[in-house]
Amino acid sequence: MKTLFRNALVVTQNSSRECSRLDVVVENGAITEVSKEAKGSNYDETIDCKDKLLMPGLVNTHTHAAMSLLRGYGDDLRLQEWLEKRIWPAESKLTPSDIYSGSLLSFIEMLRGGTTCFNDMYFQISEIAKAAEKISIRGLIGYGMIDLGDSSKREKELKECKNSIASIKASSPGGLIKASVCPHAPYTCSEELLRESARIARENSLKLHIHLSETRKELADSLKQKKKRPAEYLDSIGFLGPNVIAAHGVWLSKRECELLGKKGVSIAHCPASNMKLASGGVAPLPELFDAKVKVGIGTDGAASNNSHSMFSEMKLACLAQKNQRWDGTVMPAQQALDCATINGSKMLGFNGGSIEKGKDADIVLLDLNSPNLRPLHNAVSQIVYAADPSNVTDVMVGGKFVVREKKLCVKGINEEEIGKQVQKIAEKF
Ligand SMILES: [Zn+2]
């Protein structure tokens, strides 16, 4: 299958961050040409893109897809009450097929909103992988391990982790889905579990995905119990390295930012979730950038957001920094788009995030005729500050269309049916 996107306004995200009118050719799942005028012929399809903005698919670097089942269930509560009275009791009622339906719902929302790649941590991993494969979205999936210092629980969690790695390897021959190792957080995992997780990840060349320094309580408890800040503690047990993706990082000190930079750790910044759960403070992005830490953007689960819109998330990431620093020049739109595309793809270990020859064909088209995208002064500003999921008209993952003219076009997926299933599941909470 050879597809030509003709005369699109392309936001390439290449090394010179070029934005111009270009042709883009896709063949066998990859971008094979980006030029002023494609010379080839014999295209199976030519798409006239004169009214379209063409950009790389967005990358959501931290989520819990199945938590869409809990969207709007327990809003406006304090964190502990939210977890203990709402989230944990509801999660204990979820069956494997519930997890499948909830994940599928999130993946539909992501694709329709221009997100083509995600990084997930949850349980019932094979169900999440099955849903992702079914709908053709790219992602990393890992089993979230918690032992709370209990050694028999630790053994069970590690066994589940190893099983999930094997099941993902077996279920994704096309390579859209990859496994990761996910100890939940430094405060829910024993030192032994953290060390063993790091060992398994390195031995299998896998990413190591963890929550880090999300709340002030986590920081205070770490200082009290371990006499170290959370990132310093992880470093002291040999956990940190270039395969680590740490979500949140709200309460990192400047010294911890430098430490993460030195160790090659990536941060998944989740501004909406941090604000909604009132984590306090704002992740120190300028210090992380200064320390050369790779920063991606994530929505976190839909229970604490409540959407998977990466457009909202990019905008919030910029606004939160500007407001916090009293400086409109902090976190410009280009930096947010970098986090949500090229940086995110690199930190998850995929070959996407830009429109360049040789990259995976994960491509999104926006309708430039939408009222909220007129007039057009700067395409990057438009994406970050003005666009929303309703502007997405077409989405391609690995060279295959999954959304055409605003309609999901994946065989065997009935959106209305999934909506009904999810509503029924939600009624049991
Ligand atoms: Zn999370």
Side-chain angles (χ1 to χ4, degrees):
M1 182 79 185
K2 198 172 174 186
T3 308
L4 168 63
F5 294 90
R6 171 80 78 196
N7 189 31
L9 173 60
V10 182
V11 176
T12 63
Q13 290 297 92
N14 65 13
S15 58
S16 55
R17 300 295 187 264
E18 180 186 3
C19 296
S20 52
R21 285 275 164 193
L22 294 166
D23 287 354
V24 176
V25 180
V26 169
E27 197 173 2
N28 298 327
I31 297 169
T32 53
E33 184 178 349
V34 181
S35 63
K36 289 277 174 216
E37 197 175 346
K39 291 162 207 74
S41 55
N42 303 328
Y43 297 108
D44 296 294
E45 186 175 12
T46 297
I47 300 165
D48 174 14
C49 293
K50 74 173 180 340
D51 295 325
K52 307 280 188 189
L53 184 153
L54 186 152
M55 61 181 283
L58 295 163
V59 181
N60 186 343
T61 56
H62 179 68
T63 189
H64 312 281
M67 289 186 87
S68 58
L69 295 169
L70 306 171
R71 189 195 325 264
Y73 178 72
D75 291 336
D76 307 325
L77 295 173
R78 292 204 172 84
L79 178 66
Q80 224 46 37
E81 194 183 357
W82 178 72
L83 286 172
E84 288 168 11
K85 296 207 170 136
R86 291 286 171 153
I87 301 303
W88 291 338
E91 282 182 330
S92 70
K93 294 179 187 159
L94 295 178
T95 66
S97 89
D98 296 344
I99 303 271
Y100 175 79
S101 301
S103 301
L104 208 47
L105 178 75
S106 289
F107 297 147
I108 292 170
E109 184 192 357
M110 287 182 197
L111 290 173
R112 281 182 159 285
T115 295
T116 54
C117 185
F118 66 93
N119 181 28
D120 202 87
M121 176 198 296
Y122 213 54
F123 53 96
Q124 297 292 349
I125 294 312
S126 54
E127 297 296 323
I128 305 168
K130 199 166 81 184
E133 278 289 330
K134 173 97 180 162
I135 203 162
S136 296
I137 188 168
R138 200 181 295 281
L140 277 186
I141 305 176
Y143 172 69
M145 292 179 278
I146 294 178
D147 71 346
L148 302 170
D150 176 338
S151 59
S152 65
K153 179 103 179 13
R154 184 180 319 135
E155 291 315 309
K156 277 189 207 140
E157 294 291 77
L158 286 165
K159 197 169 162 210
E160 185 68 37
C161 166
K162 288 173 190 162
N163 288 344
S164 73
I165 295 169
S167 91
I168 287 176
K169 275 187 182 158
S171 72
S172 185
L176 272 186
I177 302 302
K178 291 184 192 169
S180 65
V181 179
C182 298
H184 173 264
Y187 63 94
T188 50
C189 297
S190 63
E191 183 181 326
E192 292 84 350
L193 181 55
L194 292 167
R195 283 183 187 274
E196 188 58 11
S197 304
R199 192 191 64 74
I200 295 170
R202 276 165 205 146
E203 217 163 67
N204 293 280
S205 303
L206 299 175
K207 299 291 178 189
L208 191 51
H209 180 194
I210 189 167
H211 294 91
L212 175 68
S213 220
E214 181 176 0
T215 64
R216 193 166 58 163
K217 182 178 184 320
E218 177 185 345
L219 170 62
D221 289 349
S222 177
L223 285 170
K224 201 165 140 195
Q225 292 156 14
K226 302 181 177 107
K227 311 282 177 254
K228 290 183 180 75
R229 300 177 72 93
E232 292 168 346
Y233 164 66
L234 288 183
D235 185 46
S236 74
I237 61 166
F239 185 91
L240 300 180
N243 63 337
V244 173
I245 301 163
H248 302 301
V250 175
W251 288 93
L252 294 169
S253 67
K254 193 173 176 194
R255 213 166 64 191
E256 283 177 296
C257 293
E258 286 161 3
L259 172 65
L260 297 182
K262 215 165 71 190
K263 296 288 176 177
V265 173
S266 303
I267 287 283
H269 174 48
C270 306
S273 172
N274 298 154
M275 287 190 229
K276 185 159 184 275
L277 296 177
S279 300
V282 175
L285 296 197
E287 287 71 20
L288 287 165
F289 291 129
D290 283 349
K292 306 272 182 286
V293 174
K294 261 197 238 61
V295 177
I297 292 178
T299 57
D300 211 348
S304 61
N305 188 300
N306 295 359
S307 94
H308 286 107
S309 167
M310 284 293 290
F311 291 104
S312 308
E313 217 62 36
M314 284 191 282
K315 182 171 178 173
L316 268 182
C318 294
L319 302 191
Q321 294 298 324
K322 292 176 196 305
N323 185 52
Q324 166 84 354
R325 305 290 169 128
W326 293 36
D327 183 352
T329 67
V330 174
M331 193 73 177
Q334 182 65 62
Q335 205 158 28
L337 186 62
D338 291 353
C339 293
T341 55
I342 188 86
N343 292 3
S345 183
K346 272 187 195 156
M347 66 190 251
L348 301 192
F350 288 108
N351 178 38
S354 66
I355 304 298
E356 293 176 277
K357 188 177 171 181
K359 286 294 185 92
D360 289 334
D362 294 357
I363 292 174
V364 171
L365 298 182
L366 305 185
D367 179 9
L368 284 171
N369 287 330
S370 312
N372 62 318
L373 300 185
R374 290 285 186 202
L376 181 70
H377 292 293
N378 178 309
V380 172
S381 289
Q382 211 78 318
I383 291 170
V384 173
Y385 295 126
D388 64 46
S390 74
N391 302 132
V392 173
T393 60
D394 301 81
V395 180
M396 183 178 250
V397 178
K400 183 179 150 193
F401 275 111
V402 285
V403 177
R404 280 312 295 267
E405 293 169 5
K406 298 199 173 188
K407 288 199 170 61
L408 194 77
C409 57
V410 181
K411 236 166 116 184
I413 303 248
N414 181 330
E415 276 188 83
E416 209 182 303
E417 234 5 86
I418 292 157
K420 280 185 198 157
Q421 277 167 21
V422 163
Q423 192 59 43
K424 205 162 162 224
I425 295 164
E427 280 159 19
K428 74 177 169 186
F429 299 145

Short mmCIF file of all heavy atoms in Angstrom, two decimals, residues 147 154 183-187 189-199 208 210 226 233-234 237 239:
data_model
loop_
_atom_site.label_atom_id
_atom_site.label_comp_id
_atom_site.label_asym_id
_atom_site.label_seq_id
_atom_site.Cartn_x
_atom_site.Cartn_y
_atom_site.Cartn_z
N ASP A 147 4.16 -4.31 46.58
CA ASP A 147 4.29 -5.38 47.59
C ASP A 147 4.13 -4.87 49.02
O ASP A 147 3.94 -5.67 49.93
CB ASP A 147 5.61 -6.15 47.42
CG ASP A 147 6.83 -5.34 47.82
OD1 ASP A 147 6.70 -4.10 47.96
OD2 ASP A 147 7.91 -5.92 47.97
N ARG A 154 5.50 -10.02 47.09
CA ARG A 154 6.58 -9.66 46.14
C ARG A 154 6.80 -10.78 45.12
O ARG A 154 6.87 -10.53 43.92
CB ARG A 154 7.87 -9.41 46.92
CG ARG A 154 9.04 -8.94 46.05
CD ARG A 154 10.27 -8.72 46.91
NE ARG A 154 9.90 -8.08 48.16
CZ ARG A 154 10.34 -8.43 49.37
NH1 ARG A 154 11.21 -9.40 49.52
NH2 ARG A 154 9.92 -7.81 50.45
N PRO A 183 7.37 -1.23 38.57
CA PRO A 183 7.15 -1.13 40.01
C PRO A 183 6.36 0.16 40.25
O PRO A 183 6.73 1.21 39.71
CB PRO A 183 8.58 -1.04 40.57
CG PRO A 183 9.42 -0.56 39.44
CD PRO A 183 8.76 -0.96 38.16
N HIS A 184 5.26 0.09 41.01
CA HIS A 184 4.32 1.21 41.06
C HIS A 184 4.95 2.53 41.52
O HIS A 184 4.81 3.56 40.87
CB HIS A 184 3.13 0.83 41.96
CG HIS A 184 2.19 1.94 42.24
ND1 HIS A 184 2.27 2.72 43.38
CD2 HIS A 184 1.17 2.45 41.51
CE1 HIS A 184 1.32 3.64 43.34
NE2 HIS A 184 0.63 3.49 42.22
N ALA A 185 5.65 2.51 42.68
CA ALA A 185 6.24 3.75 43.22
C ALA A 185 7.22 3.39 44.33
O ALA A 185 7.13 2.31 44.91
CB ALA A 185 5.14 4.65 43.79
N PRO A 186 8.14 4.30 44.67
CA PRO A 186 9.11 3.99 45.74
C PRO A 186 8.43 3.75 47.09
O PRO A 186 8.98 3.06 47.93
CB PRO A 186 9.99 5.24 45.80
CG PRO A 186 9.77 5.97 44.53
CD PRO A 186 8.40 5.60 44.05
N TYR A 187 7.23 4.32 47.30
CA TYR A 187 6.58 4.17 48.61
C TYR A 187 5.64 2.98 48.69
O TYR A 187 5.12 2.65 49.76
CB TYR A 187 5.85 5.46 49.00
CG TYR A 187 4.71 5.84 48.06
CD1 TYR A 187 3.40 5.46 48.32
CD2 TYR A 187 4.97 6.58 46.91
CE1 TYR A 187 2.38 5.80 47.45
CE2 TYR A 187 3.95 6.92 46.04
CZ TYR A 187 2.66 6.53 46.31
OH TYR A 187 1.66 6.85 45.44
N CYS A 189 6.58 0.00 46.98
CA CYS A 189 7.43 -1.15 46.65
C CYS A 189 8.60 -1.22 47.62
O CYS A 189 9.21 -0.19 47.93
CB CYS A 189 7.99 -1.03 45.23
SG CYS A 189 6.71 -1.02 43.96
N SER A 190 8.94 -2.44 48.06
CA SER A 190 10.10 -2.61 48.94
C SER A 190 11.38 -2.40 48.13
O SER A 190 11.36 -2.44 46.89
CB SER A 190 10.10 -4.03 49.50
OG SER A 190 10.23 -4.95 48.43
N GLU A 191 12.47 -2.21 48.86
CA GLU A 191 13.76 -2.05 48.18
C GLU A 191 14.08 -3.28 47.33
O GLU A 191 14.56 -3.17 46.20
CB GLU A 191 14.87 -1.83 49.24
CG GLU A 191 16.22 -1.58 48.62
CD GLU A 191 17.32 -1.39 49.66
OE1 GLU A 191 17.04 -0.84 50.74
OE2 GLU A 191 18.45 -1.80 49.37
N GLU A 192 13.75 -4.47 47.87
CA GLU A 192 14.02 -5.71 47.12
C GLU A 192 13.25 -5.73 45.81
O GLU A 192 13.78 -6.12 44.77
CB GLU A 192 13.62 -6.94 47.96
CG GLU A 192 14.46 -7.18 49.19
CD GLU A 192 14.01 -6.35 50.40
OE1 GLU A 192 13.16 -5.45 50.25
OE2 GLU A 192 14.53 -6.61 51.50
N LEU A 193 11.98 -5.31 45.86
CA LEU A 193 11.17 -5.32 44.64
C LEU A 193 11.71 -4.32 43.62
O LEU A 193 11.77 -4.60 42.42
CB LEU A 193 9.70 -5.01 44.97
CG LEU A 193 8.72 -5.01 43.79
CD1 LEU A 193 8.76 -6.32 43.01
CD2 LEU A 193 7.29 -4.74 44.25
N LEU A 194 12.12 -3.15 44.11
CA LEU A 194 12.67 -2.14 43.20
C LEU A 194 13.96 -2.64 42.54
O LEU A 194 14.15 -2.51 41.33
CB LEU A 194 12.93 -0.83 43.95
CG LEU A 194 11.67 -0.10 44.44
CD1 LEU A 194 12.03 1.00 45.44
CD2 LEU A 194 10.89 0.50 43.26
N ARG A 195 14.83 -3.24 43.36
CA ARG A 195 16.10 -3.75 42.81
C ARG A 195 15.85 -4.87 41.79
O ARG A 195 16.47 -4.91 40.73
CB ARG A 195 16.97 -4.33 43.95
CG ARG A 195 17.67 -3.27 44.79
CD ARG A 195 18.55 -3.97 45.83
NE ARG A 195 19.12 -3.05 46.78
CZ ARG A 195 20.25 -2.37 46.59
NH1 ARG A 195 20.93 -2.52 45.47
NH2 ARG A 195 20.71 -1.55 47.52
N GLU A 196 14.93 -5.77 42.11
CA GLU A 196 14.65 -6.90 41.23
C GLU A 196 13.99 -6.41 39.92
O GLU A 196 14.29 -6.90 38.84
CB GLU A 196 13.75 -7.90 41.97
CG GLU A 196 13.51 -9.22 41.26
CD GLU A 196 14.77 -10.02 40.93
OE1 GLU A 196 15.87 -9.68 41.41
OE2 GLU A 196 14.65 -10.97 40.13
N SER A 197 13.11 -5.40 40.04
CA SER A 197 12.47 -4.82 38.85
C SER A 197 13.53 -4.25 37.91
O SER A 197 13.50 -4.47 36.70
CB SER A 197 11.53 -3.68 39.23
OG SER A 197 10.58 -4.10 40.14
N ALA A 198 14.47 -3.51 38.50
CA ALA A 198 15.53 -2.88 37.69
C ALA A 198 16.37 -3.96 37.01
O ALA A 198 16.74 -3.83 35.83
CB ALA A 198 16.40 -2.00 38.57
N ARG A 199 16.62 -5.05 37.74
CA ARG A 199 17.43 -6.13 37.17
C ARG A 199 16.70 -6.79 35.99
O ARG A 199 17.28 -6.98 34.92
CB ARG A 199 17.74 -7.17 38.26
CG ARG A 199 18.80 -8.19 37.88
CD ARG A 199 18.88 -9.35 38.85
NE ARG A 199 17.66 -10.15 38.88
CZ ARG A 199 17.29 -11.00 37.92
NH1 ARG A 199 18.04 -11.16 36.86
NH2 ARG A 199 16.16 -11.68 38.02
N LEU A 208 11.69 0.85 32.27
CA LEU A 208 11.33 0.70 33.68
C LEU A 208 10.47 1.92 34.03
O LEU A 208 10.97 3.04 34.08
CB LEU A 208 12.64 0.68 34.46
CG LEU A 208 12.70 0.29 35.92
CD1 LEU A 208 12.00 -1.03 36.19
CD2 LEU A 208 14.17 0.19 36.36
N ILE A 210 7.82 4.00 36.45
CA ILE A 210 7.49 4.13 37.88
C ILE A 210 6.88 5.51 38.14
O ILE A 210 7.13 6.46 37.39
CB ILE A 210 8.79 3.94 38.72
CG1 ILE A 210 8.48 3.84 40.22
CG2 ILE A 210 9.82 5.05 38.45
CD1 ILE A 210 9.66 3.34 41.06
N LYS A 226 13.49 7.26 54.99
CA LYS A 226 14.71 6.83 54.30
C LYS A 226 15.83 7.85 54.39
O LYS A 226 16.93 7.62 53.89
CB LYS A 226 14.39 6.54 52.83
CG LYS A 226 13.31 5.47 52.68
CD LYS A 226 12.98 5.16 51.25
CE LYS A 226 11.97 4.04 51.16
NZ LYS A 226 10.63 4.53 50.75
N TYR A 233 16.88 8.41 46.83
CA TYR A 233 16.73 7.04 47.35
C TYR A 233 16.85 6.02 46.20
O TYR A 233 17.60 5.04 46.30
CB TYR A 233 15.38 6.90 48.06
CG TYR A 233 14.95 5.47 48.27
CD1 TYR A 233 15.66 4.63 49.13
CD2 TYR A 233 13.85 4.94 47.59
CE1 TYR A 233 15.29 3.30 49.31
CE2 TYR A 233 13.47 3.62 47.76
CZ TYR A 233 14.19 2.81 48.62
OH TYR A 233 13.83 1.50 48.78
N LEU A 234 16.13 6.28 45.09
CA LEU A 234 16.21 5.34 43.96
C LEU A 234 17.64 5.23 43.44
O LEU A 234 18.10 4.14 43.06
CB LEU A 234 15.27 5.78 42.82
CG LEU A 234 13.77 5.61 43.07
CD1 LEU A 234 12.97 6.02 41.83
CD2 LEU A 234 13.41 4.16 43.45
N ILE A 237 19.91 2.91 45.53
CA ILE A 237 19.75 1.44 45.40
C ILE A 237 20.02 1.00 43.95
O ILE A 237 19.65 -0.11 43.55
CB ILE A 237 18.35 0.97 45.87
CG1 ILE A 237 17.23 1.62 45.05
CG2 ILE A 237 18.16 1.26 47.35
CD1 ILE A 237 15.88 0.95 45.24
N PHE A 239 18.78 2.03 41.08
CA PHE A 239 17.59 1.88 40.24
C PHE A 239 17.65 2.75 38.98
O PHE A 239 17.16 2.36 37.92
CB PHE A 239 16.36 2.27 41.07
CG PHE A 239 15.03 2.05 40.40
CD1 PHE A 239 14.33 0.85 40.55
CD2 PHE A 239 14.44 3.06 39.64
CE1 PHE A 239 13.10 0.66 39.94
CE2 PHE A 239 13.21 2.87 39.03
CZ PHE A 239 12.54 1.67 39.18
#
